Amino acid sequence: MKLMVALFLTGVVGTALASPSADFQKQCTELLAQKGKAKEAQRLHALFKAHWEYSMREFPESATWRGYPGQNARWTDYSPESVDQRKDDTLSALKVVQSIDRAKLSVADQLNFDLFKRNLELERAGQQFPQHLLMISQMDGIQRSLASMLRMMPARKMSDYEDILARLRGTEKLVEQTTDLLNIGLKMRVTPPKICLRDLAEQVSKQITKDPMDSPLLRPFREIASTIPKDDQARLKREAIAAYREKAAPAFRRFHEFLANRYVPNCRESIGCSDLPNGRKWYQERIHAMTTTKLTAREIHQIGLREVKRIRAQMEKIKKQSGFKGSLTEFFKYLRTDKRFYYGKGTELLAGYRDISKRADPELIKLFGTLPRQPYGIRPVPAYIERSVTTAYYQPGSTTAGRPGYFYANTYNLTVRPKWEMEALTLHEAVPGHHLQLAIADELTGLPEFRKYGRYTVYVEGWALYAESLGEEMGFYTDPYSKFGQLTYEMWRAIRLVVDTGMHELGWSRQRAIDYFKANAGKTEHDIIVEIDRYIVWPGQALAYKMGELKVKELRAHAEKTLDDKFDIRLFHDEILRHGAVPLDILEAQVKTWLAHQAAK
């Protein structure tokens, strides 16, 4: 799964408002001048507030996600000038942090200080590499994010629809800025690998339809809220169609032509991050950002090999329990090909996921003391991207914005969507995985906003992978096939440690990575190819899952041993989740502090 919580790398110059950057620079200067005149905690929290407001104005798509008001009519400015200015903004924020005396803060604020400073340092480290030139791939870009953003925007009152129209009309500039950055990337030889972009142009063309109302871009106008008067509904639809015909469709046609005829044909043939300018250092920066560890690629590669060996031994045991007489490779083939393991209709697949999720919900109270109020739903992956995205992903909700979370399941080509993987996948994407963790974080009180919405991939994805392992305690994996599905998903994440580092550090070919995956997991070939291509365009991201899961399991084992019969799984899980997402070393420190308090009781 790719958690769909990344900032949309889109680029339209906003309306004539005061520059978020100029306002923030002024506030940073004032905070520096207040050193010695104001309490350190006051300056720290003033910086938190200023930086949050700057972030919401600078990245209005993120503001829409969070329910932050007043930004829904704009897109982020991704002009080269703005990219450069953001580097200065990060540096200014870091200078203010460095001027604050940590020793004069409370224990709680020392943690806030450490996390905020760490975030800025990670941002600075990433800014030395031209990530902004990789604006698009089969997994990222305006061909995916634009229609999704328009669909998730508030649509309850007239001003909401006016905001959607404003963004729709901004499509032309959005495409222009994206194309400009991609052209710069071509000149600098900073592009995604060509092999992964085979469906890219089609992702764009599928949004260009003869009837404008059939386009995913106009989805919000198909059924306008009944609170809008009929005359206004008709007007909004007319204006949406006009914006589509005059702005969006022509821009997407030009973009399709650019991708098909210029960009994709000229993208690089190599697949490894190490083949990009300063690529090995870039990959190590990605590893650090994604895992929050100081481990090297080669060290993680060895961890992956050990985990693959361990999980493969467990798979052999489950294969024997199922009564299958052949080899593990033959068992993989059986699971991939026997029709009993597959649904015939997409609606049946979605109904199966909904049944699993509703069986999971009442089991949560046994494992968690704190549960979120925010609901979630299950939707099919949009048709215009279904061929080139993974089996499922989660889109976070927002209590402030009045939006539920959504588990998106891929209904494309049902012969590669086996039933035996569905329990583990539901526990990962919905509950007790992504939805539970992110909804709890969304509802936290008493923390700075940046803490509530922190997205350390190793924590978020590590938790969701750990959540899969809770299935037996929740009454799932009662047949050997579903249990094998859970092991397949765990193996999948272990394989990532091997193939990601293999391709980006050790010089593995794409085919070698595919072959290694096929030899060690029961997933279908289509899924494996899509996964490998994902790892290629997102170097290091796939390492976070297993590294995070291993740490949570290690902490649980330590807590069980320390507390013995006084160990309470509900209290342990609440402790893991109550701080929001944090780096692994800080998570470990928090749990050990909690254990000391529990032992003292």
Side-chain angles (χ1 to χ4, degrees):
M1 163 269 173
K2 182 257 174 157
L3 182 64
M4 304 293 279
V5 294
L7 289 178
F8 291 93
L9 298 180
T10 53
V12 168
V13 177
T15 56
L17 299 173
S19 164
S21 177
D23 286 347
F24 183 63
Q25 289 287 348
K26 180 181 178 182
Q27 290 170 311
C28 286
T29 300
E30 292 171 350
L31 286 169
L32 285 170
Q34 290 172 8
K35 182 172 177 61
K37 301 174 184 178
K39 292 181 179 179
E40 299 292 65
Q42 291 176 334
R43 290 206 301 141
L44 182 67
H45 282 273
L47 176 61
F48 292 162
K49 184 174 185 294
H51 190 267
W52 181 254
E53 291 176 351
Y54 157 78
S55 299
M56 293 298 96
R57 291 175 59 200
E58 189 72 11
F59 303 103
E61 301 89 347
S62 187
T64 300
W65 272 90
R66 310 303 179 210
Y68 184 93
Q71 312 304 313
N72 288 349
R74 303 186 301 114
W75 299 110
T76 301
D77 182 355
Y78 252 86
S79 63
E81 298 78 14
S82 292
V83 172
D84 288 339
Q85 181 57 53
R86 287 182 195 119
K87 297 177 183 178
D88 292 338
D89 297 337
T90 302
L91 183 59
S92 294
L94 195 53
K95 286 179 179 177
V96 177
V97 170
Q98 291 168 341
S99 77
I100 293 172
D101 187 346
R102 183 182 182 278
K104 293 182 179 180
L105 301 172
S106 67
V107 173
D109 271 340
Q110 285 180 349
L111 176 58
N112 291 331
F113 173 95
D114 291 344
L115 287 170
F116 191 76
K117 181 171 180 285
R118 187 171 188 157
N119 290 350
L120 293 174
E121 290 171 343
L122 282 172
E123 198 171 319
R124 284 284 292 170
Q127 286 171 345
Q128 64 184 304
F129 305 103
Q131 185 68 41
H132 61 286
L133 301 181
L134 300 174
M135 289 277 288
I136 200 165
S137 71
Q138 80 280 13
M139 301 296 298
D140 282 310
I142 58 174
Q143 84 287 359
R144 291 194 53 165
S145 64
L146 182 55
S148 176
M149 174 56 68
L150 296 178
R151 183 180 183 184
M152 70 176 291
M153 288 175 65
R156 293 182 287 273
K157 54 185 186 293
M158 184 69 73
S159 61
D160 293 337
Y161 286 96
E162 297 293 354
D163 286 340
I164 299 172
L165 282 172
R167 277 185 168 161
L168 189 61
R169 293 178 183 123
T171 303
E172 188 170 40
K173 191 68 177 179
L174 174 78
V175 171
E176 286 177 6
Q177 284 195 337
T178 302
T179 303
D180 287 346
L181 285 174
L182 296 181
N183 269 319
I184 295 171
L186 284 175
K187 293 176 183 177
M188 293 180 61
R189 302 307 300 159
V190 178
T191 72
K194 183 191 300 184
I195 186 65
C196 301
L197 307 183
R198 56 195 177 275
D199 296 326
L200 189 59
E202 184 184 20
Q203 289 181 349
V204 177
S205 65
K206 281 190 173 181
Q207 300 181 64
I208 307 168
T209 56
K210 184 176 181 180
D211 183 345
M213 295 307 294
D214 288 338
S215 172
L217 297 169
L218 265 60
R219 179 70 180 263
F221 296 95
R222 292 181 197 170
E223 294 182 10
I224 297 177
S226 59
T227 53
I228 306 297
K230 293 292 185 182
D231 289 347
D232 287 322
Q233 289 187 30
R235 176 185 63 80
L236 289 170
K237 285 185 179 180
R238 287 196 303 272
E239 293 189 19
I241 291 171
Y244 174 82
R245 286 176 171 161
E246 296 167 14
K247 300 288 186 180
F252 265 60
R253 289 190 187 99
R254 291 192 298 272
F255 195 48
H256 175 267
E257 183 178 352
F258 166 74
L259 293 174
N261 299 329
R262 173 165 168 73
Y263 189 69
V264 174
N266 290 292
C267 282
R268 64 188 173 105
E269 300 289 344
S270 61
I271 62 166
C273 186
S274 57
D275 294 311
L276 290 169
N278 206 13
R280 291 191 182 278
K281 188 176 179 182
W282 193 346
Y283 185 48
Q284 189 58 47
E285 180 273 329
R286 288 288 80 206
I287 290 174
H288 179 53
M290 291 297 163
T291 70
T292 70
T293 73
K294 297 187 183 301
L295 293 170
T296 67
R298 292 172 186 267
E299 288 170 332
I300 291 176
H301 189 82
Q302 291 302 314
I303 293 171
L305 292 173
R306 290 196 298 270
E307 280 293 286
V308 168
K309 183 178 179 180
R310 179 186 64 81
I311 300 166
R312 190 177 179 95
Q314 290 184 284
M315 285 180 156
E316 289 281 5
K317 292 180 181 178
I318 297 299
K319 182 203 70 173
K320 291 179 181 178
Q321 289 177 16
S322 74
F324 190 83
K325 302 301 182 183
S327 67
L328 191 59
T329 299
E330 290 169 330
F331 192 51
F332 288 158
K333 183 178 180 181
Y334 166 63
L335 292 173
R336 290 179 186 134
T337 56
D338 195 295
K339 292 182 179 180
R340 64 181 285 206
F341 296 122
Y342 296 88
Y343 284 111
K345 298 179 180 178
T347 52
E348 294 174 343
L349 181 76
L350 293 173
Y353 278 122
R354 291 183 179 116
D355 173 69
I356 295 167
S357 69
K358 290 304 114 181
R359 286 192 283 122
D361 285 345
E363 300 300 320
L364 297 175
I365 197 67
K366 301 174 183 177
L367 298 175
F368 301 88
T370 300
L371 296 173
R373 294 174 294 130
Q374 189 185 110
Y376 68 96
I378 297 174
R379 284 175 169 173
V381 169
Y384 57 90
I385 60 172
E386 62 185 4
R387 280 184 58 181
S388 53
V389 303
T390 49
T391 308
Y393 58 81
Y394 175 72
Q395 180 177 284
S398 169
T399 301
T400 301
R403 186 183 69 250
Y406 281 105
F407 163 18
Y408 280 84
N410 201 330
T411 58
Y412 169 74
N413 190 6
L414 294 176
T415 59
V416 301
R417 315 289 174 202
K419 296 176 183 178
W420 45 259
E421 74 177 5
M422 293 173 65
E423 289 185 349
L425 190 58
T426 304
L427 301 187
H428 182 109
E429 303 294 352
V431 292
H434 283 316
H435 178 73
L436 180 71
Q437 183 262 308
L438 291 167
I440 286 175
D442 185 65
E443 296 171 9
L444 290 174
T445 59
L447 291 179
E449 296 296 321
F450 84 91
R451 288 280 307 278
K452 286 178 59 177
Y453 300 116
R455 293 292 186 265
Y456 295 97
T457 306
V458 72
Y459 175 99
V460 174
E461 297 295 356
W463 169 262
L465 180 51
Y466 166 76
E468 294 177 26
S469 71
L470 298 176
E472 290 182 26
E473 295 172 76
M474 298 174 66
F476 292 101
Y477 312 145
T478 55
D479 68 80
Y481 302 113
S482 289
K483 177 59 182 176
F484 197 87
Q486 185 254 320
L487 289 175
T488 295
Y489 268 58
E490 189 180 4
M491 174 67 91
W492 172 19
R493 281 40 171 264
I495 288 171
R496 288 175 171 179
L497 303 185
V498 179
V499 299
D500 193 287
T501 53
M503 291 187 292
H504 295 298
E505 175 70 18
L506 303 178
W508 282 28
S509 69
R510 176 174 176 267
Q511 190 59 51
R512 180 176 176 182
I514 291 171
D515 291 343
Y516 183 86
F517 204 137
K518 288 172 68 174
N520 289 287
K523 292 186 72 64
T524 63
E525 185 166 2
H526 172 84
D527 265 4
I528 290 170
I529 291 172
V530 168
E531 281 295 312
I532 293 297
D533 287 348
R534 167 188 162 178
Y535 310 154
I536 291 172
V537 298
W538 285 348
Q541 192 270 351
L543 306 177
Y545 298 64
K546 192 65 181 168
M547 299 306 296
E549 179 230 18
L550 288 172
K551 177 58 68 174
V552 177
K553 285 186 172 180
E554 173 193 316
L555 293 174
R556 176 171 172 174
H558 178 61
E560 289 174 337
K561 182 178 179 180
T562 301
L563 299 178
D564 197 18
D565 60 349
K566 292 184 174 61
F567 175 77
D568 186 328
I569 188 62
R570 300 169 83 219
L571 294 180
F572 172 77
H573 286 155
D574 287 354
E575 176 61 26
I576 293 287
L577 297 174
R578 75 181 183 89
H579 303 282
V582 293
L584 295 187
D585 57 336
I586 290 178
L587 177 64
E588 182 171 358
Q590 288 171 330
V591 170
K592 288 184 176 178
T593 298
W594 172 77
L595 278 174
H597 291 155
Q598 293 297 307
K601 290 181 181 180

Short mmCIF file of all heavy atoms in Angstrom, two decimals, residues 506-545:
data_model
loop_
_atom_site.label_atom_id
_atom_site.label_comp_id
_atom_site.label_asym_id
_atom_site.label_seq_id
_atom_site.Cartn_x
_atom_site.Cartn_y
_atom_site.Cartn_z
N LEU A 506 22.89 -1.93 -5.07
CA LEU A 506 23.76 -3.04 -5.44
C LEU A 506 23.77 -3.35 -6.93
O LEU A 506 24.42 -4.31 -7.36
CB LEU A 506 23.34 -4.30 -4.66
CG LEU A 506 23.34 -4.16 -3.14
CD1 LEU A 506 22.87 -5.44 -2.48
CD2 LEU A 506 24.73 -3.78 -2.63
N GLY A 507 23.03 -2.57 -7.71
CA GLY A 507 23.09 -2.75 -9.16
C GLY A 507 22.22 -3.84 -9.73
O GLY A 507 22.43 -4.28 -10.87
N TRP A 508 21.22 -4.30 -8.99
CA TRP A 508 20.31 -5.33 -9.50
C TRP A 508 19.54 -4.79 -10.71
O TRP A 508 19.14 -3.62 -10.74
CB TRP A 508 19.31 -5.75 -8.43
CG TRP A 508 19.84 -6.68 -7.39
CD1 TRP A 508 21.13 -6.79 -6.95
CD2 TRP A 508 19.06 -7.62 -6.64
NE1 TRP A 508 21.21 -7.75 -5.96
CE2 TRP A 508 19.96 -8.27 -5.75
CE3 TRP A 508 17.73 -7.97 -6.63
CZ2 TRP A 508 19.53 -9.26 -4.86
CZ3 TRP A 508 17.29 -8.95 -5.75
CH2 TRP A 508 18.19 -9.59 -4.87
N SER A 509 19.23 -5.67 -11.63
CA SER A 509 18.34 -5.32 -12.74
C SER A 509 16.89 -5.44 -12.29
O SER A 509 16.59 -6.09 -11.28
CB SER A 509 18.58 -6.26 -13.93
OG SER A 509 18.13 -7.58 -13.61
N ARG A 510 16.01 -4.85 -13.04
CA ARG A 510 14.58 -4.95 -12.76
C ARG A 510 14.13 -6.41 -12.82
O ARG A 510 13.35 -6.87 -11.97
CB ARG A 510 13.79 -4.11 -13.76
CG ARG A 510 12.28 -4.17 -13.66
CD ARG A 510 11.67 -3.16 -14.62
NE ARG A 510 10.22 -3.21 -14.67
CZ ARG A 510 9.52 -3.93 -15.55
NH1 ARG A 510 10.15 -4.70 -16.45
NH2 ARG A 510 8.18 -3.91 -15.54
N GLN A 511 14.60 -7.15 -13.81
CA GLN A 511 14.19 -8.55 -13.94
C GLN A 511 14.68 -9.39 -12.79
O GLN A 511 13.97 -10.29 -12.32
CB GLN A 511 14.70 -9.13 -15.27
CG GLN A 511 14.11 -10.50 -15.59
CD GLN A 511 12.59 -10.48 -15.67
OE1 GLN A 511 12.00 -9.65 -16.38
NE2 GLN A 511 11.93 -11.38 -14.94
N ARG A 512 15.89 -9.11 -12.30
CA ARG A 512 16.40 -9.87 -11.16
C ARG A 512 15.51 -9.64 -9.94
O ARG A 512 15.22 -10.57 -9.17
CB ARG A 512 17.84 -9.47 -10.84
CG ARG A 512 18.43 -10.23 -9.65
CD ARG A 512 19.89 -9.87 -9.41
NE ARG A 512 20.40 -10.55 -8.22
CZ ARG A 512 21.63 -10.40 -7.72
NH1 ARG A 512 22.49 -9.61 -8.35
NH2 ARG A 512 22.01 -11.06 -6.64
N ALA A 513 15.07 -8.41 -9.76
CA ALA A 513 14.19 -8.10 -8.63
C ALA A 513 12.85 -8.81 -8.78
O ALA A 513 12.31 -9.37 -7.81
CB ALA A 513 13.99 -6.59 -8.53
N ILE A 514 12.31 -8.83 -9.99
CA ILE A 514 11.05 -9.53 -10.25
C ILE A 514 11.20 -11.02 -9.97
O ILE A 514 10.35 -11.65 -9.32
CB ILE A 514 10.57 -9.29 -11.70
CG1 ILE A 514 10.14 -7.82 -11.89
CG2 ILE A 514 9.42 -10.23 -12.06
CD1 ILE A 514 9.87 -7.45 -13.33
N ASP A 515 12.28 -11.60 -10.44
CA ASP A 515 12.50 -13.04 -10.26
C ASP A 515 12.66 -13.39 -8.78
O ASP A 515 12.14 -14.43 -8.31
CB ASP A 515 13.74 -13.48 -11.03
CG ASP A 515 13.54 -13.44 -12.53
OD1 ASP A 515 12.38 -13.39 -12.97
OD2 ASP A 515 14.55 -13.44 -13.27
N TYR A 516 13.36 -12.55 -8.02
CA TYR A 516 13.53 -12.81 -6.59
C TYR A 516 12.18 -12.75 -5.88
O TYR A 516 11.87 -13.58 -5.01
CB TYR A 516 14.49 -11.78 -5.98
CG TYR A 516 14.78 -12.02 -4.51
CD1 TYR A 516 15.79 -12.89 -4.12
CD2 TYR A 516 14.02 -11.40 -3.52
CE1 TYR A 516 16.05 -13.13 -2.78
CE2 TYR A 516 14.27 -11.64 -2.17
CZ TYR A 516 15.29 -12.50 -1.81
OH TYR A 516 15.53 -12.73 -0.48
N PHE A 517 11.36 -11.78 -6.27
CA PHE A 517 10.03 -11.64 -5.68
C PHE A 517 9.19 -12.89 -5.99
O PHE A 517 8.57 -13.48 -5.09
CB PHE A 517 9.36 -10.38 -6.26
CG PHE A 517 8.29 -9.77 -5.40
CD1 PHE A 517 8.23 -8.40 -5.25
CD2 PHE A 517 7.33 -10.54 -4.77
CE1 PHE A 517 7.24 -7.80 -4.47
CE2 PHE A 517 6.33 -9.95 -3.99
CZ PHE A 517 6.30 -8.58 -3.85
N LYS A 518 9.17 -13.31 -7.24
CA LYS A 518 8.36 -14.46 -7.65
C LYS A 518 8.80 -15.75 -6.93
O LYS A 518 7.97 -16.59 -6.61
CB LYS A 518 8.46 -14.65 -9.17
CG LYS A 518 7.72 -13.60 -9.97
CD LYS A 518 8.02 -13.71 -11.45
CE LYS A 518 7.45 -14.95 -12.06
NZ LYS A 518 7.64 -14.97 -13.54
N ALA A 519 10.08 -15.87 -6.67
CA ALA A 519 10.60 -17.08 -6.04
C ALA A 519 10.24 -17.18 -4.57
O ALA A 519 10.30 -18.27 -3.99
CB ALA A 519 12.12 -17.13 -6.20
N ASN A 520 9.87 -16.05 -3.96
CA ASN A 520 9.68 -16.05 -2.51
C ASN A 520 8.30 -15.61 -2.03
O ASN A 520 8.06 -15.58 -0.82
CB ASN A 520 10.73 -15.15 -1.85
CG ASN A 520 12.11 -15.76 -1.91
OD1 ASN A 520 12.42 -16.70 -1.19
ND2 ASN A 520 12.95 -15.24 -2.80
N ALA A 521 7.39 -15.29 -2.93
CA ALA A 521 6.06 -14.83 -2.51
C ALA A 521 4.98 -15.40 -3.41
O ALA A 521 5.21 -15.69 -4.58
CB ALA A 521 6.00 -13.31 -2.52
N GLY A 522 3.79 -15.54 -2.85
CA GLY A 522 2.67 -16.10 -3.59
C GLY A 522 1.89 -15.08 -4.38
O GLY A 522 0.85 -15.41 -4.94
N LYS A 523 2.36 -13.84 -4.44
CA LYS A 523 1.61 -12.81 -5.15
C LYS A 523 1.65 -13.05 -6.65
O LYS A 523 2.57 -13.68 -7.18
CB LYS A 523 2.15 -11.42 -4.82
CG LYS A 523 1.87 -11.02 -3.37
CD LYS A 523 2.26 -9.59 -3.07
CE LYS A 523 1.34 -8.59 -3.72
NZ LYS A 523 -0.03 -8.67 -3.20
N THR A 524 0.64 -12.55 -7.34
CA THR A 524 0.54 -12.76 -8.78
C THR A 524 1.59 -11.95 -9.52
O THR A 524 2.10 -10.94 -9.01
CB THR A 524 -0.85 -12.37 -9.28
OG1 THR A 524 -1.05 -10.97 -9.04
CG2 THR A 524 -1.94 -13.15 -8.57
N GLU A 525 1.89 -12.36 -10.75
CA GLU A 525 2.94 -11.69 -11.51
C GLU A 525 2.60 -10.23 -11.78
O GLU A 525 3.47 -9.35 -11.73
CB GLU A 525 3.20 -12.42 -12.83
CG GLU A 525 4.37 -11.84 -13.61
CD GLU A 525 4.84 -12.76 -14.72
OE1 GLU A 525 4.23 -13.82 -14.91
OE2 GLU A 525 5.82 -12.41 -15.39
N HIS A 526 1.34 -9.95 -12.07
CA HIS A 526 0.93 -8.55 -12.30
C HIS A 526 1.24 -7.70 -11.07
O HIS A 526 1.82 -6.62 -11.18
CB HIS A 526 -0.56 -8.48 -12.63
CG HIS A 526 -1.08 -7.07 -12.70
ND1 HIS A 526 -0.99 -6.30 -13.84
CD2 HIS A 526 -1.68 -6.28 -11.76
CE1 HIS A 526 -1.52 -5.10 -13.60
NE2 HIS A 526 -1.94 -5.08 -12.35
N ASP A 527 0.83 -8.20 -9.90
CA ASP A 527 1.10 -7.46 -8.66
C ASP A 527 2.60 -7.26 -8.45
O ASP A 527 3.03 -6.19 -8.01
CB ASP A 527 0.52 -8.23 -7.47
CG ASP A 527 -0.87 -7.74 -7.10
OD1 ASP A 527 -1.39 -6.88 -7.81
OD2 ASP A 527 -1.42 -8.23 -6.09
N ILE A 528 3.37 -8.29 -8.73
CA ILE A 528 4.81 -8.21 -8.52
C ILE A 528 5.45 -7.15 -9.42
O ILE A 528 6.26 -6.33 -8.97
CB ILE A 528 5.46 -9.59 -8.75
CG1 ILE A 528 5.06 -10.55 -7.62
CG2 ILE A 528 6.98 -9.49 -8.86
CD1 ILE A 528 5.44 -11.99 -7.86
N ILE A 529 5.05 -7.12 -10.67
CA ILE A 529 5.60 -6.13 -11.60
C ILE A 529 5.22 -4.72 -11.18
O ILE A 529 6.07 -3.81 -11.18
CB ILE A 529 5.13 -6.43 -13.04
CG1 ILE A 529 5.78 -7.72 -13.54
CG2 ILE A 529 5.44 -5.27 -13.97
CD1 ILE A 529 5.24 -8.21 -14.86
N VAL A 530 3.96 -4.53 -10.80
CA VAL A 530 3.52 -3.21 -10.34
C VAL A 530 4.30 -2.80 -9.10
O VAL A 530 4.71 -1.63 -8.95
CB VAL A 530 2.00 -3.22 -10.06
CG1 VAL A 530 1.59 -1.96 -9.31
CG2 VAL A 530 1.22 -3.32 -11.37
N GLU A 531 4.53 -3.75 -8.20
CA GLU A 531 5.27 -3.44 -6.98
C GLU A 531 6.72 -3.07 -7.28
O GLU A 531 7.24 -2.08 -6.75
CB GLU A 531 5.24 -4.65 -6.03
CG GLU A 531 3.96 -4.79 -5.26
CD GLU A 531 3.75 -3.64 -4.29
OE1 GLU A 531 4.69 -3.31 -3.55
OE2 GLU A 531 2.65 -3.07 -4.28
N ILE A 532 7.39 -3.86 -8.08
CA ILE A 532 8.79 -3.57 -8.40
C ILE A 532 8.91 -2.19 -9.05
O ILE A 532 9.82 -1.41 -8.72
CB ILE A 532 9.38 -4.66 -9.31
CG1 ILE A 532 9.48 -6.00 -8.56
CG2 ILE A 532 10.73 -4.23 -9.86
CD1 ILE A 532 10.41 -5.97 -7.36
N ASP A 533 8.00 -1.87 -9.95
CA ASP A 533 8.04 -0.56 -10.60
C ASP A 533 7.77 0.57 -9.60
O ASP A 533 8.30 1.68 -9.74
CB ASP A 533 7.03 -0.50 -11.74
CG ASP A 533 7.48 -1.32 -12.94
OD1 ASP A 533 8.66 -1.73 -12.97
OD2 ASP A 533 6.66 -1.56 -13.84
N ARG A 534 6.98 0.29 -8.61
CA ARG A 534 6.76 1.27 -7.54
C ARG A 534 8.05 1.52 -6.77
O ARG A 534 8.40 2.67 -6.49
CB ARG A 534 5.67 0.76 -6.60
CG ARG A 534 5.57 1.54 -5.31
CD ARG A 534 4.61 0.86 -4.35
NE ARG A 534 4.82 1.32 -2.99
CZ ARG A 534 4.09 0.92 -1.96
NH1 ARG A 534 3.13 0.04 -2.14
NH2 ARG A 534 4.34 1.36 -0.76
N TYR A 535 8.77 0.47 -6.42
CA TYR A 535 10.02 0.63 -5.68
C TYR A 535 11.05 1.41 -6.50
O TYR A 535 11.86 2.16 -5.96
CB TYR A 535 10.63 -0.72 -5.28
CG TYR A 535 9.68 -1.69 -4.62
CD1 TYR A 535 9.89 -3.05 -4.68
CD2 TYR A 535 8.55 -1.24 -3.93
CE1 TYR A 535 9.03 -3.96 -4.09
CE2 TYR A 535 7.68 -2.13 -3.33
CZ TYR A 535 7.92 -3.49 -3.42
OH TYR A 535 7.04 -4.38 -2.84
N ILE A 536 11.00 1.21 -7.81
CA ILE A 536 11.95 1.89 -8.69
C ILE A 536 11.74 3.41 -8.65
O ILE A 536 12.70 4.17 -8.57
CB ILE A 536 11.84 1.35 -10.13
CG1 ILE A 536 12.35 -0.09 -10.19
CG2 ILE A 536 12.61 2.24 -11.10
CD1 ILE A 536 12.11 -0.77 -11.53
N VAL A 537 10.47 3.85 -8.69
CA VAL A 537 10.22 5.30 -8.76
C VAL A 537 10.14 5.95 -7.38
O VAL A 537 10.15 7.18 -7.28
CB VAL A 537 8.95 5.63 -9.57
CG1 VAL A 537 9.11 5.16 -11.01
CG2 VAL A 537 7.70 5.05 -8.94
N TRP A 538 10.04 5.15 -6.31
CA TRP A 538 10.04 5.68 -4.94
C TRP A 538 11.20 5.07 -4.16
O TRP A 538 10.98 4.25 -3.26
CB TRP A 538 8.74 5.33 -4.23
CG TRP A 538 7.55 6.11 -4.64
CD1 TRP A 538 7.49 7.24 -5.39
CD2 TRP A 538 6.19 5.80 -4.28
NE1 TRP A 538 6.20 7.67 -5.54
CE2 TRP A 538 5.37 6.80 -4.87
CE3 TRP A 538 5.60 4.80 -3.54
CZ2 TRP A 538 3.99 6.81 -4.72
CZ3 TRP A 538 4.22 4.80 -3.39
CH2 TRP A 538 3.43 5.80 -3.96
N PRO A 539 12.43 5.41 -4.46
CA PRO A 539 13.56 4.79 -3.76
C PRO A 539 13.46 4.96 -2.24
O PRO A 539 13.24 6.05 -1.74
CB PRO A 539 14.77 5.56 -4.30
CG PRO A 539 14.31 6.12 -5.61
CD PRO A 539 12.87 6.41 -5.43
N GLY A 540 13.60 3.85 -1.52
CA GLY A 540 13.65 3.89 -0.06
C GLY A 540 12.31 3.83 0.63
O GLY A 540 12.23 3.40 1.80
N GLN A 541 11.22 4.23 -0.03
CA GLN A 541 9.92 4.29 0.65
C GLN A 541 9.48 2.91 1.13
O GLN A 541 8.96 2.77 2.24
CB GLN A 541 8.86 4.90 -0.29
CG GLN A 541 7.56 5.26 0.38
CD GLN A 541 6.52 4.12 0.37
OE1 GLN A 541 6.73 3.10 -0.28
NE2 GLN A 541 5.43 4.32 1.09
N ALA A 542 9.72 1.90 0.33
CA ALA A 542 9.26 0.55 0.67
C ALA A 542 10.02 -0.07 1.83
O ALA A 542 9.60 -1.08 2.38
CB ALA A 542 9.36 -0.36 -0.56
N LEU A 543 11.15 0.52 2.20
CA LEU A 543 11.93 -0.01 3.33
C LEU A 543 11.24 0.27 4.66
O LEU A 543 11.51 -0.43 5.66
CB LEU A 543 13.33 0.62 3.35
CG LEU A 543 14.15 0.51 2.07
CD1 LEU A 543 15.48 1.23 2.24
CD2 LEU A 543 14.37 -0.95 1.69
N ALA A 544 10.39 1.28 4.69
CA ALA A 544 9.82 1.74 5.96
C ALA A 544 8.92 0.69 6.62
O ALA A 544 8.90 0.58 7.85
CB ALA A 544 9.05 3.04 5.74
N TYR A 545 8.18 -0.06 5.85
CA TYR A 545 7.16 -0.95 6.38
C TYR A 545 7.76 -1.98 7.34
O TYR A 545 7.38 -2.09 8.50
CB TYR A 545 6.47 -1.69 5.23
CG TYR A 545 5.73 -0.81 4.27
CD1 TYR A 545 6.40 0.12 3.48
CD2 TYR A 545 4.36 -0.90 4.13
CE1 TYR A 545 5.72 0.93 2.59
CE2 TYR A 545 3.67 -0.10 3.22
CZ TYR A 545 4.36 0.82 2.46
OH TYR A 545 3.68 1.62 1.59
#
